[in-house]
Amino acid sequence: MTEKTAPSGYDFALDRALKALHDEGRYRTFIDIERRRGQFPHAVWTRADGSEQDITVWCGNDYLGMGQHPVVLSAMHDALRATGAGSGGTRNISGTTVYHKQLEAELSDLHGKEAALVFTSAYIANDATLSTLPRLFPGLIIYSDALNHASMIEGVRRNGGQKRIFRHNDVSHLRELLAADDPAAPKLIAFESIYSMDGDFGPIAEICDLADEFGALTYIDEVHAVGMYGRRGAGVCERDGLMHRIDIINGTLAKAYGVMGGYIAASAKMCDAVRSYAPGFIFTTSLPPAIAAGAAASVAHLKTDQALRDLHQERAAVLKLRLRGLGLPIIDHGSHIVPVHVGDPIKCKMISDRLLSDHGVYCQPINFPTVPRGTERLRFTPSPVHTPPMMDALVRAMDDLWSHCALNRAQAAG
């Protein structure tokens, strides 16, 4: 049997699309790495020629190293031995297990909500929930921060309802938009607690005040905060004493919790309605039981491990201080995220490539459309398991390459 080939015109269109990415310096290259159990953030990179090189991962979202934690691994092994690999289907057919229920109980307790609903990813949780809400609240108007994550944008776009985009973190602009609409219309404000590319915080209290004033629901994405902020790791809303003012909290199990999956936490009625109406939940095979078990163990553990959170913040603060000491243009809004502004996709890719090949430091470039053109950057994510010698090596590498690439530090900072 010969493989079907597309007509030449289609191939030409594909070549043109890929060439455009190469020409702009933003073609994404995936490297082959293998994490080694118990050695994170060390990994092994397999080069194109088949040779291997030891590297240190500086761009992972396993913020606390929980993907290697014995508590998590033990729970996953136990569940795998007890149940096997797959869940067996969607949650509505045969894919709801005791492990999924345990995980949802841990999450609802974490956020002080009546219920939680687990999805296969936080992207799906955002998309499925935000695209379903207008079916539950006819005439709903969603007010969305301009820098919300792509999953939130997609959910708002697909829901078929009305939307308003307010300037990033601009509470005055949000007020103008709310005041201009019908007071009787149902409303929802969607925003984030930490915006991952700049590491800045959303004005949660001020937005909650506007929601109270205009009778709006609140929807917050805590993906880059859960596990890392608050007394039990419930996020920035917990840290600031605001969880009770948020109607729907979105979070992930794939970053600080080190496993996979996403969720919403809300009232029992809200979770039940989303569960019953959201196609992204209804028609998706559920997480494997071992994944759910590992995530539940991670959530439970981080409710009490404040020392790990403190060390994480300390590592991030030290890295910012040291990179700033080199004169590098750090974007610092006080969170754990450490972006270095480059401002050019080709130079950003060049530094990333040289960090890997010359210094064994893995940090992917962040280019358009993840960030606007002209704001390309390297985004470092220090963790508690990044040791001082690892940080020394990174700082030396950045000092060497920043000078080598002849970047004007003052211009890049501006």
Side-chain angles (χ1 to χ4, degrees), residues 79-80 83-87 287-291:
L80 185 63
T83 69
S87 67
L287 289 175
I291 297 292

Side-chain angles (χ1 to χ4, degrees), residues 304-345:
T304 61
D305 198 342
Q306 185 59 40
L308 199 60
R309 280 189 281 278
D310 291 342
L311 184 56
H312 179 227
Q313 291 293 326
E314 177 190 307
R315 291 282 192 267
V318 170
L319 181 59
K320 289 178 187 177
L321 182 65
R322 295 193 62 183
L323 293 178
R324 190 182 293 111
L326 297 177
L328 302 190
I330 302 298
I331 304 170
D332 186 4
H333 293 283
S335 72
H336 60 283
I337 295 170
V338 186
V340 178
H341 181 267
V342 178
D344 179 276

